[in-house]
Amino acid sequence: SVNFSILLSKMLSGKDIRESGSGNAGATNMLRTYGKKMGIITLLLDVLKGIVVILLSRLVKNIAGTDEIYPVISYIAGVCVILGHNFPLYFGFKGGKGVATSLGVVLMLDWKVGLIVAVVAIAVMAVTRYVSLGSILGGAMYIVIEIVKMIVTKNVDAIQLVCVVIIGGLLIARHHANIKRLLSGTENKLGA
């Protein structure tokens, strides 16, 4: 539930980032409101948040002494940190869209899948200049790649599958307003 964009914006200007720009508590709004440096710092802190939570979940493996529950615990922890970012307890349940935190989680769960999703999402963002479109496609692609991986490896775990759908689905659902603007042609491009 720690939201770095809210904390940093209050430190910088005394204002809540949710009162500026798009009203979203995330790295893109920090970039547009406070510039590249603060956008990058927010992005890195949000990615790091996802990484740290998955690393902490790995301690469960060591404590439990078993590999059987480890992947599921990490996927559940990933869902929890993303939910905490999107709906932060300390900030009235109004947080960001979870893109950077999801990236940190996905990279730690399976760095190969995370890298593929990140490269494609960044390429979409670079070509179209729509951060939202890259994020939405990244969420959808994550679900597809994980399902294909489960089928190919014949390692389908129901809880893990639900977590994958929640992680990718939240990325898409949190961009519902962006989807409407993309369809109507009124979505802001990066740098606009």
Side-chain angles (χ1 to χ4, degrees):
S1 283
V2 175
N3 189 293
F4 292 110
S5 64
I6 296 171
L7 295 173
L8 290 171
S9 66
K10 286 185 177 184
M11 285 174 33
L12 288 170
S13 66
K15 286 179 63 179
D16 187 323
I17 188 66
R18 297 172 296 181
E19 299 169 6
S20 303
S22 67
N24 184 53
T28 303
N29 198 25
M30 284 294 285
L31 170 72
R32 289 179 174 148
T33 305
Y34 293 101
K36 286 180 186 177
K37 180 180 176 183
M38 294 314 299
I40 291 169
I41 290 171
T42 304
L43 175 73
L44 293 175
L45 287 171
D46 284 347
V47 169
L48 187 61
K49 178 171 37 178
I51 290 171
V52 167
V53 166
I54 300 303
L55 288 175
L56 289 173
S57 76
R58 290 182 179 169
L59 290 176
V60 172
K61 174 185 175 188
N62 296 333
I63 294 168
T66 179
D67 290 335
E68 291 177 25
I69 64 166
Y70 161 65
V72 174
I73 294 295
S74 292
Y75 278 83
I76 293 170
V79 168
C80 290
V81 71
I82 295 164
L83 287 171
H85 178 84
N86 292 352
F87 310 103
L89 175 67
Y90 312 118
F91 302 108
F93 300 101
K94 295 179 183 173
K97 295 180 181 173
V99 177
T101 302
S102 296
L103 176 60
V105 166
V106 170
L107 284 168
M108 291 304 293
L109 291 173
D110 184 333
W111 68 269
K112 291 175 245 168
V113 171
L115 193 58
I116 292 167
V117 171
V119 167
V120 171
I122 291 168
V124 169
M125 292 174 195
V127 170
T128 67
R129 292 187 20 228
Y130 288 121
V131 174
S132 58
L133 183 59
S135 301
I136 293 162
L137 292 176
M141 187 174 191
Y142 174 64
I143 294 169
V144 170
I145 290 173
E146 281 285 353
I147 290 172
V148 168
K149 183 177 88 174
M150 287 180 192
I151 292 168
V152 168
T153 62
K154 297 179 180 156
N155 185 15
V156 179
D157 181 282
I159 296 172
Q160 190 172 325
L161 178 60
V162 167
C163 290
V164 164
V165 171
I166 290 171
I167 291 169
L170 274 172
L171 266 176
I172 298 166
R174 294 290 288 168
H175 285 85
H176 60 86
N178 303 84
I179 292 169
K180 289 179 185 175
R181 288 192 298 271
L182 283 165
L183 293 172
S184 68
T186 58
E187 177 72 346
N188 290 328
K189 289 188 173 189
L190 191 61

